[in-house]
Amino acid sequence: MEATSASSKWFLHCMLLILAAQVAHCSVTYDRKALIIDGQRRILFSGSIHYPRSTPDMWEGLIQKAKDGGLDAIDTYVFWNIHEPSPGNFNFEGRYDLVRFIKLVQKAGLYVHLRIGPYVCAEWNFGGFPVWLKYVPGIRFRTDNEPFKMAMQRFTEKIVRMMKYEKLFQSQGGPIILSQIENEYGIESKAYGAAGRAYMNWAANMAVETNTGVPWVMCKEDDAPDPVINTCNGFYCDYFSPNKPYKPTIWTEAWSGWFEDFGGPVHHRPVEDLAFAVARFIQKGGSFVNYYMYHGGTNFGRAAGGPFITTSYDYDAPIDEYGLIRQPKYEHLKELHKVIKSCEHVLVTADPTLTPLGNYEQAHVFSSSSGCAAFLTNYHLNEAAHVTFNKMHYELPPWSISILPDCKTVAFNTAKVGVRPSTAQMIITNVKMLSWETFSEDISTINDDSSLTYVGLLEQLNVTRDTSDYLWYTTSVEISSSESFLRQGHYPILTVQSAGHELHVFINGHLSGSAFGTSENKIFTFTGGINLHAGVNKISLLSVAVGLPNAGARFETWSIGVVGPVALHGLDEGQKDLSWQKWSYKVGLKGEVMNLVSPNAISSAEWVGGSLAAKKQQPLTWYKAYFDAPEGNDPLALDLSSMGKGQVWINGQSIGRYWTADAKGSCGQCNYSGTYRQWKCQSGCGQPTQRWYHVPRSWLKPTGNLLIVFEEIGGDASRISLVKRLVSGV
Ligand code: GAL
C-alpha cells in the first residue's frame, strides 16, 4: 500500500516537472538585460546564413560549423521574390526550402532569428520584393499605402502560418526565438513624415497580432513601438541604446566584412577589429550579437541586387563563400564567444560600472552575487597601455579589450590572435572542357519579328518585368548619299542616355561600343562615332540590367534602360533626335527564348562545332561544352578570367552573372578597421573584382556535365577552367 502511494506521488511529481518544463520552454520574453528563454536571461551569439545563397546539401555543414564556432542562433531573411514569383504561385522547393533549413538548425540545437521583412535589402534583387508587386495598381512600397500593406500582410501572415503549422516558434517548442518585421525603416520613415510613421506603427502592430509567442524586432528604427524591440546594425554598436529602458540591447547586424560591386574593391575586416567591436558592445551591456554575414555564400542566378552586386557574396565572413572556415576570423571569434559565455551569468545579472584607468583606458566591471567579470579597454589607436586594476598590472595592446571573466585573469584580448591565417588557393584541375560549340545571337534579324513597337522610348523593367536582363531597342535611320560625312571619312556621333545599367550599341549588326553606369552613378551616356552608310541603317541598342536596386528612397520607382534622348550628331542637318522615332522592342536573347541552357532542350539552334570556335572573341555568343566532375569533395569554381561579361549555367542551373572585364582601376583590397574607421584601399589595382564563380558540387553528375556560357562582349571560352578551392592552415 505504502509502496503504491510512494510511486503515485513520484508519478505526480514527474508529471508536474514535465508540465513545468513545457510551460518554461513555451516562452521567449525580454527585459532590459536580455532575451529570456526558458526563464533564463541569455547572452546570445548568432550568425546570418541566407538559405538561398547556398545549396541544401551544404546547409547541415554550415550550421554545424556555426555551432562549433560558438554560435547559439542562425539568422536569415525570408526572400519574398523567390517564394512568390507570380501572384499566388508559391515556391518553397530546393534552395528555397525555408522549413527544411529551419528544421536543420533545430536539429543542430540552435535557435533561429527569422527576419521576415518582407523588405530585406540584403544586396538582393529588388530588396526581396517580387517585381510584379510594382505593377499592382496604385501601389507605393513601404509607406501607408493600402495595396502595399495588403500584400505585405498577406505574405507575412503566410510565412507565420507556415512556421506555426510546422511548430517552429519557440512558443511551440521550435527554434525561432525572434522575428523581424521591415528592415532599417528609420531613415525612410523620416522621409515619409506622417505616412511613414503610420506605416511603421501599422507594420509593428500587424506583426505583433500574428501571435507568434516570440518577440519582434525592428532594426534601425528608433521609434519601434512597444513591444517591438528596436535594434542596431553597423560596424560598431556600442553607442546604441534601445528606445525604452525595459528593452534589451540587440545588435542585428555586426558587419563581419562587406559585399562587393563589379568593378569595385574586395573588402576585408580584420578580426581584431570585429572582436573589439563585439567585446565593446557586450561591455556596455549588449546581450545579442548577430554576425552579418557568418556565411555570405553566392548570389546564384539573377538574385544579386544593386545594381552591380557581384555573384559572390563572400563578405569576408568567418565561413567563406564555399563553406570553408576562414582563419583567423573563425577561431578568434570562437574564443571570444567561449570567454564571454564563461561569465554569462554575471553579465546578465549585473550592470557594468565604468572606471577610467587613464586617458584612453577604461574598466567595465560586472559584479554580482554570481561573480565578477571585467573588460579592460585601451582606445588608443596605436599605443599600448599599462594599467593597474584591482592592484594588478595589465598590459593592453592598442585598440583592444582584455576580458577577465573572474576580474583577475586575462582570458582573452581582442588584438591578440593566436591562430594563423588560412590561405585559400584556387588549384587548377585536370578537367577538360570537351566538344566546344558556339551559337551566335543573330543581330541582323533582331526585332524583324518584334511584336512590340512604340513611338518613343520605353522604360526597361516595364517591358521585361525582369524576365530577362536584356532588352533590345531597335530603330533605323536613313542616310542620304549626299551627306558630307560620307565623303569626309568621319563618323557621325551617336549619344544615348541610359538610366542603367549597361548598354551595347550595334550598328547594322556590328558591335560599335559599350557603356555602363556605376553603383554611384547609374545614369550614363554612351557617346561614340558610328559607321553609317548611305541608305537605311539599323541601330540596335542592347540594354542590360545588372541586378535591380535593393535600397534607396522609393527605389521601386527608379527607371532602367534607354530613357533618352538618343541623338545623332554631325549630320548636315546638325543634330537628329531619334528619341521619338518608331522603336521596336524585343525582350531577352534568342538563346534565352530557345532555352539553350537546359540539358533537355530540344531546339533548332544551329551550334557550330570546333575548339577554334570557342576562341573567337565575338560579342553576343553562346558557348557550350561538356565536362566530367573531378573526384573528391573540394569545392569547385569556374575561372572566367578569359571572358568579358555574361552569364553561366551548369546542367541548366544558373551559376550567376559574371563580369571579369570590369577592372576599372579601383584597387583590389580594402581593409576596414576602427583604427581608421573607414575602408582603406590598396594593392591589386586593375584586377577583376570576381574571377572565380562557385560551382556547387551537388549540381554536378559524375560525367557529361553541360556548361553553357553567354558572353556579351567577347572572350576566349577555350581558356575557361574548373578549379578546386583548397584552404590550408585550418
Ligand atoms: C544593411 C541591410 C542589410 C545589408 C547590409 C549591407 O543596412 O540591413 O540587408 O544590405 O546593410 O550588407
Side-chain angles (χ1 to χ4, degrees), residues 77 120-123 183-184 233 253 255 258-259 292 313 315:
Y77 282 127
V120 298
C121 192
E123 292 67 70
N183 191 77
E184 298 194 335
N233 294 346
E253 292 181 24
W255 295 326
W258 202 241
F259 59 86
Y292 187 99
Y313 198 63
Y315 225 90

Side-chain angles (χ1 to χ4, degrees), residues 144-273:
D144 193 15
N145 169 282
E146 287 310 318
F148 178 75
K149 291 193 302 188
M150 208 160 46
M152 170 167 165
Q153 178 163 5
R154 198 176 42 79
F155 182 73
T156 307
E157 288 180 352
K158 173 166 180 86
I159 296 296
V160 169
R161 253 196 326 273
M162 275 177 80
M163 300 299 117
K164 282 188 180 171
Y165 180 77
E166 302 284 346
K167 304 220 177 332
L168 292 175
F169 288 105
Q170 165 78 11
S171 48
Q172 305 171 291
I176 305 172
I177 52 165
L178 205 59
S179 296
Q180 179 177 303
I181 194 77
E182 251 293 342
N183 191 77
E184 298 194 335
Y185 191 63
I187 304 165
E188 223 83 354
S189 163
K190 295 204 168 65
Y192 279 122
R197 264 196 314 282
Y199 162 70
M200 194 270 297
N201 283 314
W202 167 84
N205 291 336
M206 183 270 286
V208 170
E209 276 170 18
T210 60
N211 274 321
T212 59
V214 306
W216 287 89
V217 303
M218 280 184 147
C219 64
K220 274 195 160 177
E221 174 49 87
D222 295 344
D223 299 328
D226 289 359
V228 176
I229 309 166
N230 64 311
T231 66
C232 184
N233 294 346
F235 287 107
Y236 300 93
C237 274
D238 48 282
Y239 56 83
F240 172 81
S241 304
N243 61 14
K244 294 283 168 50
Y246 42 81
K247 294 181 184 176
T249 306
I250 292 182
W251 190 356
T252 30
E253 292 181 24
W255 295 326
S256 57
W258 202 241
F259 59 86
E260 270 88 47
D261 300 316
F262 284 119
V266 175
H267 298 99
H268 174 62
R269 185 173 192 200
V271 71
E272 294 87 330
D273 189 54

Side-chain angles (χ1 to χ4, degrees), residues 18 87 131 136 154 193 195 202 206 277 344 387 417 489 492 556 705 721:
I18 290 166
V131 170
V136 169
R154 198 176 42 79
W202 167 84
M206 183 270 286
E344 181 181 18
V387 295
V417 177
E556 81 275 15
N705 296 289
S721 60

